[in-house]
Structures are given as C-alpha cells and as structure tokens.
Amino acid sequence: MHTKCCKQLSCLWVTLQSLIFVIYTQENLIGTLLAIFGNLLVSISVSIQKQSHVTLAGNKDPKQYYYTKSWWSGLMLMVLGEGALFVSYAFAPLSLIAPLNAVSVISSSILGFLFLREKWKAQEFLKRYILTFLGCVLTAGGTYLFVTFGPNSHEKLNAENIVKHVIGWPFLLYLLLGIITFCLVLYFYKQRDANYLVLILLLVALLGSVTVITVKAVSGMIVLSILGPLQLSYPIFYVMFICMVATIVFQASFLAQASHLYDSSLIACVNYIFCTTFAIVAGAIFYQEFYHEDVLHICMFLLGCTICFLGVFLITKNKRKLKGFEPYVTMDMVKGIPTIHNKGWAVQPDYNGSFSYGALENNDSVASVPLPGDQELSISPSPVSPYQPSELKKD
C-alpha cells in the first residue's frame, strides 16, 4: 500500500513538472508571438507614414502631414506595435525578446521594395537583390535558432524579486562598470569632439541595457497586477518607471544626433548589434536568464544571434542612400546686384501650363537691394551692338 502511494505521488510530481514546463513554454510562445507581431506592426506603420510624406511632397498644394488619414493610421499601428512589444517583455525572457528586432529589419526591407516601390538601377539590381535576399534568409534562420534554443526560465516579476535583483552584487557591479564606461565615452564625445558612430551608439546601447531591464520590470509588474496581487503600490515600480522614461529620452537624443552625422542604414545595423548584445548581457546578469541553461543551448543561442547580426548587416549594407535635396541655381544676381522678390520667390524655370522648360513666369516685383554702406557699384558700359533692334531675332 505504501509503495503504491509513493508511485502515485511520483507520477503526480512528474505530471506537475510537465505542466509547469508547458506553462513556461506557453509563456515564451506568447511573448515571442507578441514581439514578432509588434515588430511587424511597427515596420508597417513606418512604411505607411513614409508613404504619406512622399505623397504630400509630390502634391502641388502640400498640406501638413498630421491632416492626412494615412499618417494617423500609421501612428495608430505604431502605438499598437509598441504596446505589443511592451507586453511581450512580461511573458518571455529578455534575451529572447531583444534579438527579435531583426523581424522589423526584414519586414522593412520587404515593404520598402513592395509597398513603397523602391527600385534600383538595372546594373545594380542583381547584386543588391541577392545580398538582401541572402540577408533575409540568414536573419530568419538565426531567429529560428535563438528562439528554439533561447532561455526557458522565466520568474514572476513581483516587487520582492525585482528588489532582490537590484541589490544583488552582479547587477551592482554591472551598473558600476556601465556608469564608468558611459562617463568615459561621454567625455570623449563631448569634450574631445570624438563624433564616431561607434561611440555614439555605444552610449545608446549602455542606456538601452538599463531601458530593457526597467521595461521588463514595469511590464511584468503591470501584468502581474492584472492577473494577481497588486504590485503598483510598491516604490520599486515607480523607480523603475522613472528610469525607463529617462533612459528612453536620452536614447532618442543620442540617436537623433547620430542621424545627423551618419547614414540611417549604417545606424540601423550597428545599433541593432550593440543594443541586442547589451540587452542579452543585461538579461543574463539582472534576471539570471541563463542560470539553468546548459552549454549546448547557450552556444546555439549565441550562434543564432551571430547569424542574425550577419543577416542584418547584409540587408543594410546595400541600402540605397537617399540623395539630399539639391535646389536649382537661383538667379538672384542681375548685373552684379543682388535682388530679392517681394514674396521670397527665387527665379526658377516653370512650365506654367506649357511644355517649354525655359518658359519663365513674368514677375515684375523685383526690388534691388542697396549695397551695405556708401559703396557704389561701377558698371562699365556695354559695347554698342552693330545691329538695329528691328534686325534682332525675336524668340
């Protein structure tokens, strides 16, 4: 009788362990699907908003972008996508969610080619298409690897667990090293004018590692408050929330500075590699996500992330660089005297309903601007033409 009860208890214990494993697997699955869905929505929203700006730029009477329905549709999709990404951190490990930003890179590449009809020159199409296609394949394969072999351990993010991680010596050591590195890089960037892309994006990645930690904590506590005991009354929630908002603001500031100095495709590639790497390290240190993983799973996970890095590099490597706006050469000099129109118009070729490129608009409102001071402009008389005005050819 006693042996039979022990066997039943053993079977019940094995069944309970299997149920717990299924629950953890389902949580990872829910978080992964939410992250993929959110990245897809974000990339679609960016493409819609870009199409809205392009359409407005081509109109004869342009209006403000926030008056268009397409721009607002893109904004709503972006809010939904970011919301899905925010909730996904509460269900899946941080090291599993962060690399899934590669989904946004793949979808943006495909949408840029199909939805926005971005075309390449004939001689460059084959080369660029093959590299982009290869990058998408590598990124998809790497995504499958790190999702399959990613960490499965996921604890409930209540206030007590978060406080325990915050005061733990691994995170305190990581935070100290991060602050020292951030201050050194910021010193060289601001004081020594070292405007290198690596340094700027290193600042973004260091801030991003704190951002993902706080985002996961805030998201987990909100979801846990909905499903179970209330966590919003603990001070640690508001500390994490303030740190999350502050780091996001500073990240956006440094990214804006980088976008004024370097190409957006290069920024996207380097920023993805840096931020993903630091996010994985932060998740491994703060949440101890790889504590119960074996060496094989960790190696396969890192291999998948490396393949993703290579794929994103190939996708962004041959992105076409947009040419800056090159205005026509204005005709603001008449006989050496600068002129300004009443309405600020520059003299430009205008077809005016005709197909003649040289047909200029008749604008008599041209006022000469006096030279500074009492300087006088000496104009040498032009040589007298030997032809009579009546003999000149009229256009």
Side-chain angles (χ1 to χ4, degrees):
M1 186 69 181
H2 180 72
T3 307
K4 186 177 181 180
C5 292
C6 291
K7 289 183 179 179
Q8 290 179 351
L9 289 175
S10 300
C11 293
L12 182 61
W13 176 249
V14 171
T15 305
L16 183 61
Q17 285 182 331
S18 301
L19 181 60
I20 294 174
F21 177 76
V22 170
I23 292 175
Y24 279 132
T25 305
Q26 288 179 350
E27 285 189 351
N28 284 358
L29 180 62
I30 292 173
T32 302
L33 292 178
L34 283 174
I36 294 174
F37 179 71
N39 282 300
L40 286 175
L41 284 183
V42 169
S43 60
I44 292 173
S45 67
V46 171
S47 298
I48 291 176
Q49 288 184 329
K50 181 179 178 181
Q51 179 67 21
S52 176
H53 286 290
V54 170
T55 303
L56 288 177
N59 291 339
K60 188 174 182 180
D61 297 324
K63 57 182 179 180
Q64 297 294 335
Y65 61 89
Y66 46 79
Y67 287 125
T68 60
K69 295 180 179 179
S70 59
W71 187 86
W72 282 103
S73 300
L75 181 62
M76 294 301 297
L77 289 177
M78 180 175 291
V79 171
L80 290 176
E82 294 293 345
L85 284 172
F86 179 78
V87 176
S88 67
Y89 282 96
F91 290 96
L94 179 59
S95 303
L96 190 61
I97 299 299
L100 285 175
N101 289 329
V103 176
S104 179
V105 178
I106 297 176
S107 56
S108 297
S109 178
I110 296 175
L111 289 173
F113 182 74
L114 298 178
F115 181 74
L116 300 176
R117 298 179 181 179
E118 295 180 355
K119 297 181 180 179
W120 296 312
K121 295 181 181 180
Q123 61 270 21
E124 299 178 355
F125 177 80
L126 183 61
K127 176 183 176 181
R128 297 188 180 222
Y129 181 79
I130 288 178
L131 289 178
T132 303
F133 178 76
L134 180 60
C136 291
V137 171
L138 289 175
T139 305
T143 302
Y144 173 78
L145 283 178
F146 71 70
V147 168
T148 303
F149 296 96
N152 292 320
S153 60
H154 182 68
E155 63 178 350
K156 291 184 178 180
L157 298 178
N158 53 32
E160 295 178 0
N161 290 335
I162 294 176
V163 171
K164 181 182 66 176
H165 291 312
V166 169
I167 63 177
W169 70 266
F171 175 70
L172 293 178
L173 180 60
Y174 173 77
L175 187 62
L176 178 62
L177 295 177
I179 292 175
I180 294 175
T181 306
F182 183 86
C183 293
L184 289 176
V185 175
L186 187 63
Y187 169 76
F188 284 103
Y189 173 57
K190 292 294 186 180
Q191 300 298 327
R192 298 297 181 91
D193 294 330
N195 297 326
Y196 300 110
L197 179 62
V198 174
L199 295 181
I200 301 175
L201 295 185
L202 184 58
L203 295 173
V204 175
L206 288 170
L207 290 171
S209 64
V210 180
T211 300
V212 291
I213 289 175
T214 55
V215 167
K216 183 173 178 61
V218 172
S219 177
M221 295 179 73
I222 291 176
V223 172
L224 189 60
S225 299
I226 296 174
L227 300 178
L230 184 65
Q231 302 293 319
L232 305 184
S233 59
Y234 293 93
I236 189 63
F237 173 80
Y238 300 98
V239 172
M240 288 292 182
F241 182 80
I242 293 174
C243 292
M244 178 186 70
V245 174
T247 52
I248 289 175
V249 170
F250 283 109
Q251 272 186 280
S253 175
F254 285 119
L255 282 175
Q257 296 174 29
S259 64
H260 286 87
L261 299 174
Y262 297 95
D263 181 67
S264 59
S265 299
L266 183 60
I267 294 174
C269 177
V270 179
N271 186 55
Y272 171 76
I273 296 175
F274 278 14
C275 288
T276 302
T277 303
F278 278 87
I280 293 173
V281 173
I285 294 176
F286 188 86
Y287 295 105
Q288 300 178 359
E289 295 176 343
F290 294 94
Y291 185 73
H292 297 289
E293 300 296 325
D294 54 16
V295 179
L296 178 61
H297 280 72
I298 295 176
C299 292
M300 294 300 294
F301 173 81
L302 295 178
L303 177 62
C305 292
T306 305
I307 294 176
C308 268
F309 293 162
L310 179 59
V312 171
F313 171 75
L314 292 178
I315 292 174
T316 58
K317 181 178 182 295
N318 286 318
K319 275 285 186 179
R320 184 182 58 182
K321 296 182 180 180
L322 297 177
K323 295 182 179 179
F325 177 71
E326 298 178 359
Y328 291 102
V329 178
T330 58
M331 300 171 61
D332 292 335
M333 299 294 293
V334 179
K335 292 184 180 181
I337 302 177
T339 59
I340 300 177
H341 295 271
N342 291 345
K343 298 182 179 181
W345 295 343
V347 181
Q348 299 291 355
D350 188 9
Y351 59 88
N352 289 331
S354 141
F355 289 97
S356 174
Y357 178 80
L360 299 179
E361 183 179 358
N362 185 14
N363 190 357
D364 295 328
S365 58
V366 178
S368 61
V369 177
L371 295 175
D374 297 332
Q375 298 178 1
E376 295 183 359
L377 181 65
S378 61
I379 303 176
S380 59
S382 60
V384 180
S385 174
Y387 301 97
Q388 298 296 329
S390 59
E391 297 179 359
L392 295 175
K393 182 180 178 181
K394 297 181 179 180
D395 293 335

